[in-house]
Amino acid sequence: MKSGTDTADVVIVGGGVHGASTAWHLARRGAGKIVLIEKEGIAAGASGWSSAIVRLHYTLESLVKVTMYGREIFGDWKNIVGIGESGFRQVGFLVLFDKSEVVHGREIVEMQQRLGVRASIITPDEVGDIEPRLAREDVVAGAWEPESGHADGSTVANSFIAAARDLGVDVRVGPTVLGVAADGTRVTGVVTSAGTISTGAVVVEAGYRTSALLAEHGVDLPITPVRHAIAVVERTSDFGGIHPVVSDRIVQAYYRPESDRLALLGEHDPLRGSVDPDVEGIKPPELGEQTSLFERFAARFPGQDSASLTRGYTGVYDCTPDFQPAFGKVQALDGLFVGSGFSGHGFKLSPGIGKILSDLVVDGSTDMIDVRPFRVERFAEGDELTGGEGYAHRSLA
Ligand SMILES: Cc1cc2nc3c(=O)[nH]c(=O)nc-3n(C[C@H](O)[C@H](O)[C@H](O)COP(=O)(O)OP(=O)(O)OC[C@H]3O[C@@H](n4cnc5c(N)ncnc54)[C@H](O)[C@@H]3O)c2cc1C
């Protein structure tokens, strides 16, 4: 790479699902010379550890719209993106409610139905029709999305990158972006460990590390890095066929099938984990975290207490104070854009946010949703998104 003489129309910082999606969307828009810089490896961050659940169950209508866009891409990758794959499996998404949350769950489903999502509120008996192996004594109602499921984080990031490269995006793995250069009012370049790139537009999608890159320009994006454990279970041989993705809101856990024999178990509460700024570190889960998840899974699927807890891993959520992402144009500097703070639910949003950011870079606006509520400045302005509304438990909705 040439130092000092490098130029680009747009530079993207970060090669997770978000940077990769933005790169592909910008290239499709013909945004000129696009460079993506990733310091560790494609999907080396949260994207590579993601459970990659694809659901459309969100409290905020705007995020339902963003996930609808993503669901279409994940499910029809070959025709839309053309290169690579998403790993999408349409196993369905089932939410279990107790009394405290059923009213809000119903509101979400009614809103989804108005938007055209195939979702319904179902009785405990209907939950049993869908998944008879579930214990249902404490279930007051369920929400069912037959067209949801899960994909694969690393596959999606790498496939978006391959498709972006095919459209001419210059993907550079290895250099670290050290800072965004500006002349006081607008972006002039990006300083990397391998030299400076002159550019008028920078999209920072660097996960937890985004905050430090914005802070040097006086922009406050508060992110708490929370390390989350995933337990991996090999189900008993008599379990039978695959189960849907189950969001067990009653005990705040999810159970997501992986291949035909395994299940990935994770926490719903974004803050249930250890705060760990060493986001690049690869660390095993604590035994207590794994057994707690396993006990909830085994109680929900009677007979699975003799399943094998085989191995587990951890990944880091980039949690904002309102657990909602920050994306869009940064007001402090012309030419600076951001997509970060996904708080543990950003995988499914990545196609939609990539489309939105490409619209904002190229056109200055987007017609997918009103992006203003998601602006990074909301934290400094005391205008956070969800506040105390929504579900009784802090959650991924
Ligand atoms: C265990 C776990 C389970 C999850 N499950 C789900 C789920 O089921 N469904 C869902 O929707 N979401 C889920 N998520 C959340 C989702 O995975 C993330 O929101 C999403 O992957 C974030 O993507 P990203 O591109 O913003 O960040 P990342 O994947 O973290 O990518 C950021 C990239 O930026 C690079 N970078 C950072 N700083 C620099 C720099 N200075 N210069 C160059 N490169 C830099 C990093 O190396 C990294 O590769 C989960 C997350 C975890 C950890």
Side-chain angles (χ1 to χ4, degrees):
M1 190 197 321
K2 290 166 281 177
S3 177
T5 57
D6 236 355
T7 61
D9 293 295
V10 190
V11 175
I12 299 161
V13 187
V17 283
H18 280 275
S21 166
T22 302
W24 178 73
H25 279 92
L26 278 169
R28 275 223 310 184
R29 295 294 314 269
K33 183 177 174 194
I34 301 158
V35 176
L36 182 146
I37 312 273
E38 163 54 52
K39 70 184 173 74
E40 306 284 331
I42 301 304
S47 301
W49 304 107
S50 185
S51 302
I53 294 168
V54 178
R55 58 166 163 98
L56 291 83
H57 192 89
Y58 268 94
T59 299
L60 300 172
E61 183 172 320
S62 48
L63 292 187
V64 177
K65 289 181 183 168
V66 174
T67 54
M68 288 169 77
Y69 178 88
R71 165 64 184 80
E72 194 182 342
I73 292 195
F74 292 134
D76 197 15
W77 192 275
K78 278 274 174 277
N79 287 318
I80 301 173
V81 182
I83 293 180
E85 57 188 317
S86 70
F88 182 70
R89 291 181 93 187
Q90 189 180 321
V91 295
F93 176 74
L94 180 60
V95 193
L96 306 178
F97 298 114
D98 65 12
K99 208 168 146 227
S100 68
E101 297 199 321
V102 72
V103 172
H104 187 59
R106 190 179 297 281
E107 286 167 2
I108 290 180
V109 169
E110 286 168 3
M111 175 263 287
Q112 289 180 299
Q113 290 170 341
R114 284 196 298 278
L115 294 175
V117 175
R118 264 191 78 197
S120 51
I121 285 284
I122 56 177
T123 63
D125 283 347
E126 289 168 323
V127 168
D129 293 341
I130 289 163
E131 181 45 83
R133 294 165 293 195
L134 287 171
R136 301 186 295 282
E137 295 79 21
D138 54 352
V139 175
V140 168
W144 174 234
E145 294 177 11
E147 294 178 349
S148 292
H150 71 84
D152 183 83
S154 180
T155 304
V156 164
N158 280 286
S159 296
F160 266 139
I161 288 290
R165 276 195 161 118
D166 188 61
L167 294 174
V169 174
D170 180 356
V171 178
R172 301 179 188 175
V173 176
T176 298
V177 171
L178 304 173
V180 175
D183 67 4
T185 59
R186 64 166 303 115
V187 163
T188 57
V190 162
V191 181
T192 85
S193 56
T196 297
I197 306 171
S198 298
T199 184
V202 177
V203 187
V204 186
E205 300 187 276
Y208 167 65
R209 303 279 173 219
T210 302
S211 293
L213 293 171
L214 298 186
E216 61 178 325
H217 297 288
V219 180
D220 182 25
L221 172 55
I223 297 182
T224 305
V226 183
R227 188 167 287 279
H228 268 255
I230 300 292
V232 183
V233 164
E234 184 173 347
R235 297 183 298 257
T236 56
S237 54
D238 61 355
F239 183 81
I242 201 163
H243 59 83
V245 175
V246 177
S247 166
D248 190 342
R249 297 198 55 83
I250 301 167
V251 296
Q252 293 294 299
Y254 65 80
Y255 323 121
R256 175 288 220 192
E258 169 71 20
S259 71
D260 292 337
R261 293 293 303 277
L262 304 179
L264 308 182
L265 320 180
E267 289 284 350
H268 265 338
D269 184 342
L271 291 185
R272 191 158 173 188
S274 52
V275 174
D276 185 0
D278 174 25
V279 297
E280 289 81 10
I282 296 178
K283 300 177 185 175
E286 304 286 334
L287 185 59
E289 295 174 315
Q290 297 226 73
T291 50
S292 164
L293 287 164
F294 181 71
E295 281 164 11
R296 282 175 268 174
F297 171 75
R300 189 56 75 195
F301 282 100
Q304 290 307 297
D305 45 355
S306 51
S308 314
L309 186 57
T310 54
R311 63 184 190 283
Y313 51 89
T314 63
V316 178
Y317 287 11
D318 50 350
C319 292
T320 62
D322 59 11
F323 308 107
Q324 300 299 341
F327 55 88
K329 182 184 179 326
V330 177
Q331 296 308 318
L333 278 186
D334 277 347
L336 184 58
F337 301 84
V338 68
S340 181
F342 289 99
S343 307
H345 58 98
F347 170 77
K348 69 189 81 59
L349 301 174
S350 60
I353 303 291
K355 162 85 168 84
I356 288 169
L357 287 171
S358 70
D359 288 346
L360 295 178
V361 170
V362 175
D363 303 326
S365 64
T366 183
D367 59 8
M368 190 186 291
I369 58 165
D370 175 11
V371 291
R372 191 172 180 281
F374 298 95
R375 69 199 182 286
V376 65
E377 294 80 11
R378 73 180 186 272
F379 303 110
E381 293 167 4
D383 190 20
E384 292 177 12
L385 255 163
T386 42
E389 295 164 19
Y391 280 123
H393 301 293
R394 191 171 50 219
S395 78
L396 301 179

